[in-house]
C-alpha cells in the first residue's frame, strides 16, 4: 500500500518535470449577443450581423501536464461604418482571455474540456474628423457627456479598458493527432463601465453596452505539435 502511494507521488511529480510539452494554435470564431444602446440622440450607426455578434480571433495553448493546459485567446468585435452625420467611424472591442483548461478523453478522438479565464479587455472608437471642428463634440454629447466643447480637426480615438471573467465547457474532436475541431459554450462576465472611456487623456462618457453574464459560443480549428 505504501509502495503504491510512493509510486503515485513519484509519477505525479515526474509527470510535471519530464512530460513532453505540447503546443497548439487555433483560428477561432465566436458568437455572442451584446446590447449596445443606439438612439436618435447619439451618433452611433446601427451594428448588425458580423459587426454586432461575431468574434473572430486566435488562441494559443501549452499543455504543461497530462490533462491540463494554459493558454491565451484574443477575440475581436469590429464595426466599420459612418456616423449618422457621415463621418468615417470604426469601433473595436478586444476580448483577451488568460485560460486555464482541464480535459479528459471520453473516447480515442473525443475530448471534453473545461476552461476558466480572467479577461482584460479593450474598447476603442475612432473617428476620421479631419476638417470638422465639432464632430467629436457632437459624438460625445450623444452619450450625455458633460465635457466642454471639443474641437478636433484630425483623426483620433477614445478608448476604455475593463476586467472580466469567462468560463466554458467544450468538446474537441481530433481529426488527426495534429488537427482538431473544438466547440465551446459558456459565459463572459464583463465589468464594463461606460463612464470610464478616455479621450485625449480626459475621462469621457462612452456608449452604454450590456455585456455582463453574456452567453458565448466559439468554434476553433486547432493545430498542434
Amino acid at each position: 500500500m505504501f509502495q503504491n502511494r510512493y509510486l503515485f507521488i513519484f509519477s505525479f511529480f515526474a509527470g510535471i518535470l519530464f512530460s513532453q510539452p505540447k503546443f497548439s494554435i487555433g483560428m477561432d470564431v465566436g458568437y455572442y449577443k451584446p446590447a449596445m444602446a443606439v438612439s436618435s440622440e447619439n451618433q452611433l450607426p446601427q451594428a448588425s450581423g458580423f459587426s454586432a455578434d461575431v468574434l473572430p480571433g486566435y488562441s494559443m495553448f501549452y499543455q504543461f501536464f497530462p490533462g491540463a493546459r494554459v493558454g491565451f485567446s484574443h477575440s475581436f468585435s469590429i464595426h466599420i461604418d459612418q456616423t449618422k452625420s457621415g463621418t468615417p467611424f470604426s469601433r473595436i472591442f478586444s476580448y483577451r482571455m488568460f485560460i486555464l483548461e482541464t480535459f479528459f478523453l471520453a473516447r480515442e478522438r473525443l475530448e471534453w474540456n473545461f476552461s476558466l479565464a480572467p479577461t482584460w479587455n479593450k474598447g476603442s472608437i475612432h473617428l476620421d474628423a479631419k476638417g470638422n471642428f465639432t464632430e467629436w463634440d457632437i459624438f460625445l454629447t450623444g452619450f450625455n457627456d458633460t465635457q466642454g466643447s471639443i474641437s478636433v480637426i484630425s483623426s483620433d480615438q477614445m478608448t476604455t479598458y475593463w476586467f472580466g471573467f469567462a468560463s466554458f465547457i467544450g468538446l474537441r474532436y481530433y481529426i488527426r493527432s495534429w488537427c482538431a475541431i473544438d466547440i465551446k459554450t459558456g459565459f463572459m462576465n464583463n465589468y464594463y463601465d461606460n463612464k470610464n472611456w478616455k479621450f485625449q487623456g480626459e475621462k469621457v462618457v462612452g456608449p452604454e453596452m450590456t455585456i455582463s453574464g453574456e452567453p458565448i459560443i466559439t468554434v476553433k480549428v486547432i493545430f498542434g505539435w
Side-chain angles (χ1 to χ4, degrees):
M1 180 176 178
F2 287 105
Q3 288 180 339
N4 291 337
R5 286 184 180 177
Y6 289 132
L7 180 62
F8 173 79
I9 294 171
F10 175 81
S11 299
F12 179 84
F13 286 103
I16 293 176
L17 295 173
F18 305 114
S19 60
Q20 293 296 321
K22 294 182 180 179
F23 293 91
S24 62
I25 58 175
M27 296 180 293
D28 310 350
V29 176
Y31 180 83
Y32 76 149
K33 291 288 290 182
M36 183 179 295
V38 176
S39 67
S40 58
E41 286 80 24
N42 68 46
Q43 290 287 304
L44 280 179
Q46 181 69 54
S48 62
F50 182 90
S51 60
D53 306 323
V54 179
L55 291 170
Y58 64 89
S59 56
M60 301 177 291
F61 285 92
Y62 168 68
Q63 181 180 324
F64 67 94
F65 188 73
R69 293 186 283 255
V70 291
F72 173 77
S73 176
H74 196 176
S75 299
F76 310 87
S77 173
I78 304 172
H79 186 194
I80 299 174
D81 203 338
Q82 293 183 342
T83 65
K84 292 176 183 177
S85 59
T87 299
F89 158 94
S90 64
R91 182 268 297 153
I92 300 176
F93 293 135
S94 298
Y95 299 96
R96 293 169 286 194
M97 302 182 185
F98 304 89
I99 305 168
L100 174 63
E101 185 169 276
T102 60
F103 64 92
F104 70 93
L105 290 174
R107 295 182 181 178
E108 183 179 354
R109 294 176 178 265
L110 199 63
E111 169 195 302
W112 285 101
N113 50 64
F114 308 89
S115 307
L116 296 174
T119 66
W120 176 238
N121 310 309
K122 178 183 178 181
S124 65
I125 293 176
H126 181 275
L127 296 185
D128 186 1
K130 288 185 177 180
N132 192 331
F133 285 86
T134 61
E135 182 62 22
W136 272 106
D137 196 30
I138 295 170
F139 188 81
L140 293 171
T141 301
F143 304 129
N144 296 316
D145 190 87
T146 57
Q147 298 290 326
S149 179
I150 296 175
S151 297
V152 181
I153 59 173
S154 63
S155 299
D156 212 332
Q157 69 178 10
M158 53 190 284
T159 58
T160 187
Y161 295 88
W162 70 93
F163 287 104
F165 184 82
S167 60
F168 297 93
I169 181 171
L171 187 64
R172 179 178 296 191
Y173 179 75
Y174 288 89
I175 302 170
R176 295 287 187 270
S177 60
W178 51 270
C179 180
I181 301 294
D182 189 292
I183 301 174
K184 299 183 188 297
T185 182
F187 287 87
M188 287 195 303
N189 291 285
N190 292 282
Y191 304 104
Y192 168 80
D193 186 348
N194 73 315
K195 296 181 177 63
N196 280 339
W197 287 78
K198 283 195 173 182
F199 179 72
Q200 296 188 337
E202 300 292 334
K203 270 195 174 184
V204 295
V205 178
E208 294 183 5
M209 184 170 60
T210 304
I211 51 174
S212 59
E214 186 69 29
I216 181 172
I217 298 173
T218 66
V219 179
K220 302 174 184 284
V221 179
I222 305 291
F223 301 94
W225 65 94

